[in-house]
């Protein structure tokens, strides 16, 4: 996961980042994303499409969801 060309983060139920790979850290010019709220850390992006928070929905339903964010 650390070497993927995609940004990857492990996010807890409180939406805080527990781990982020190098790609995600480079995108947001942050060496230390751990401990930050995911959405705050990436600049409170606009959601495109569905209108629901995929992270919160995944937590509530215990299933995978996706969303597109414009940063």
């Amino acid at each position: 996961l650390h070497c993927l060309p995609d940004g990857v983060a492990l996010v807890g139920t409180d939406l805080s980042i527990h781990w982020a790979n190098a790609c995600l850290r480079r995108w947001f010019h942050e060496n230390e994303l751990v401990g930050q709220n995911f959405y705050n850390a990436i600049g409170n992006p606009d959601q495109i499409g569905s209108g629901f928070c995929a992270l919160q929905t995944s937590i509530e339903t215990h299933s995978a969801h996706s969303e597109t964010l414009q940063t």
Side-chain angles (χ1 to χ4, degrees), residues 47-54 57 65-69:
Q47 270 182 274
I48 299 172
S50 66
F52 65 87
C53 172
T57 302
H65 294 273
S66 66
E67 71 184 323
T68 302
L69 303 173

Side-chain angles (χ1 to χ4, degrees), residues 12-62:
T13 58
D14 62 352
L15 303 184
S16 66
I17 298 172
H18 291 266
W19 176 84
N21 73 348
C23 181
L24 189 67
R25 292 193 317 266
R26 274 193 310 274
W27 284 351
F28 296 100
H29 310 289
E30 288 274 349
N31 284 327
E32 197 52 54
L33 292 171
V34 173
Q36 295 187 47
N37 173 280
F38 176 78
Y39 292 107
N40 292 341
I42 64 172
N44 294 308
D46 293 326
Q47 270 182 274
I48 299 172
S50 66
F52 65 87
C53 172
L55 290 177
Q56 195 62 47
T57 302
S58 291
I59 291 165
E60 292 170 2
T61 63
H62 303 282

